Amino acid sequence: SAVISQKPSRDICQRGTSLTIQCQVDSQVTMMFWYRQQPGQSLTLIATANQGSEATYESGFVIDKFPISRPNLTFSTLTVSNMSPEDSSIYLCSVLWGHPNQPQHFGDGTRLSIL
Amino acid sequence: DAKTTQPPSMDCAEGRAANLPCNHSTISGNEYVYWYRQIHSQGPQYIIHGLKNNETNEMASLIITEDRKSSTLILPHATLRDTAVYYCIVRVASKAAGNKLTFGGGTRVLVKP
């Protein structure tokens, strides 16, 4: 399976600021996704990152708050905008390549704390 | 995608087989069963998946009942490193359906010496 790298691995940010998280894969993938895992909770899908077009957001997530880019088949970014303490979470990138029945694979996530 | 039901927690003895149940009574014919686990401070790790037939790989075995309404993940010889939260997920494997994963609460497995 491919290597999925997320940067930064963790950060502590001030409220009102924005942070961009990068997800880099070492081979071309079919689909890329962004998930959020709030403290003590399970994972929730934020959006599907579409190459060359706007991301597809899940209910409760909006582009102004979580702008996403995917300029090519191996790279995507998620920005958490105007952060508040409620945004303190782990943000995870996952990728899918090959046939749609193949499993998604996850990076190790970005641990974000907002003061 | 169909919902899944898993016990919130279970303990297993080191060296013994661990059998993790999952109920997915509303599964449809084109939905696959996927198992992931999440060890503390790491991203979810894919374990195994299947549609109808039982599956086995180097990590585990997946037993799916004939009516597909439930499945069991078997870790043949549990080790302390298998302590994790295990997620059973059902999804339609198609680009049109979005290939999304919906995570439930999972089963918190504690392997004891």
Side-chain angles (χ1 to χ4, degrees), chain B residues 59-95:
Chain B
M59 290 183 67
S61 295
L62 173 60
I63 308 299
I64 302 175
T65 57
E66 192 168 343
D67 63 7
R68 303 185 68 239
K69 293 185 177 182
S70 67
S71 61
T72 301
L73 178 74
I74 301 173
L75 306 178
H77 304 287
T79 71
L80 300 180
R81 289 177 295 179
D82 292 323
T83 292
V85 178
Y86 286 77
Y87 296 100
C88 167
I89 301 168
V90 170
R91 75 163 171 92
V92 176
S94 78
K95 194 171 183 180

Side-chain angles (χ1 to χ4, degrees), chain B residues 5-28:
Chain B
T5 303
Q6 299 177 253
S9 66
M10 61 185 296
D11 293 345
C12 304
E14 186 181 20
R16 305 291 295 272
N19 298 300
L20 281 61
C22 179
N23 181 282
H24 31 79
S25 58
T26 61
I27 193 170
S28 60

Side-chain angles (χ1 to χ4, degrees), chain A residues 11-86:
Chain A
D11 208 340
I12 301 173
C13 301
Q14 298 294 321
R15 66 176 69 202
T17 62
S18 299
L19 179 74
T20 296
I21 302 167
Q22 298 180 359
C23 179
Q24 177 74 56
V25 193
D26 67 352
S27 62
Q28 294 184 349
V29 297
T30 307
M31 301 184 77
M32 298 182 79
F33 306 86
W34 288 98
Y35 289 80
R36 180 176 73 180
Q37 187 170 28
Q38 295 177 299
Q41 303 296 312
S42 187
L43 282 77
T44 301
L45 180 64
I46 297 172
T48 302
N50 299 310
Q51 191 215 346
S53 64
E54 189 172 294
T56 304
Y57 289 86
E58 297 300 304
S59 176
F61 297 95
V62 295
I63 188 171
D64 289 347
K65 178 66 177 178
F66 298 102
I68 289 171
S69 76
R70 189 183 169 193
N72 57 49
L73 294 176
T74 64
F75 184 77
S76 178
T77 66
L78 166 74
T79 299
V80 186
S81 302
N82 189 24
M83 290 182 285
S84 66
E86 294 71 37

Side-chain angles (χ1 to χ4, degrees), chain B residues 16-59:
Chain B
R16 305 291 295 272
N19 298 300
L20 281 61
C22 179
N23 181 282
H24 31 79
S25 58
T26 61
I27 193 170
S28 60
N30 61 349
E31 289 184 304
Y32 286 73
V33 180
Y34 295 81
W35 282 84
Y36 286 80
R37 71 181 183 184
Q38 188 173 25
I39 297 171
H40 184 61
S41 299
Q42 298 181 18
Q45 177 188 24
Y46 164 74
I47 301 172
I48 198 167
H49 75 287
L51 181 62
K52 297 179 185 177
N53 300 322
N54 298 336
E55 302 287 346
T56 296
N57 63 22
E58 65 278 3
M59 290 183 67

